[in-house]
Amino acid sequence: MDQLASILPPTLGGYLPYYLLYDGLAAAIHAVVCYVSSPTVALAPFKGPEAPPLHPVLAHVYAVKNFYTSTVRIYAAYYLTNPQLYDLAALTFVGVLFLYITEVFVYKTIGLREASFPYVIAGTGLVWMVLQRDWYLSQ
């Protein structure tokens, strides 16, 4: 148990670092899936009426987005008292919300049902980070 605790980020009195680590690892896993699996699997949510053809290049671009998002969130989980990194991590959630809002309502490449999970995860992360900013940056 001590070995596990030694690799987890410091909590600083809350669970936001664990949330960022979990979400960062999930994004990293999805980045790998986008690279190694077929575009049909990697881009499964993109089934809207205006969805583009599923192509490996599109899956790889999506993987890159997931990779840099995961990197920022994982670093922020460990260095949450750094204001620049904190804000950058919060902006990754803004970016995800922007991506899925525009894909659902503007470009219609993804359905609302398929976008609901990213809305909940990114919305929760963003609200949590905004509400707890002063607490974590004062540590």
Side-chain angles (χ1 to χ4, degrees), residues 10 38 45 47 77 99 112:
S38 75
K47 296 178 183 173
L99 171 72
L112 186 57

Side-chain angles (χ1 to χ4, degrees), residues 115-136:
S116 61
F117 188 70
Y119 287 156
V120 170
I121 296 299
T124 300
L126 180 61
V127 168
W128 196 349
M129 291 192 78
V130 168
L131 293 177
Q132 296 297 309
R133 187 176 193 281
D134 291 338
W135 165 258
Y136 282 103

Side-chain angles (χ1 to χ4, degrees), residues 59-84:
H60 295 165
V61 169
Y62 197 51
V64 169
K65 189 265 324 163
N66 280 321
F67 179 72
Y68 74 73
T69 297
S70 72
T71 302
V72 169
R73 290 180 189 163
I74 290 169
Y75 269 98
Y78 286 92
Y79 303 101
L80 208 50
T81 58
N82 179 314
Q84 292 84 7

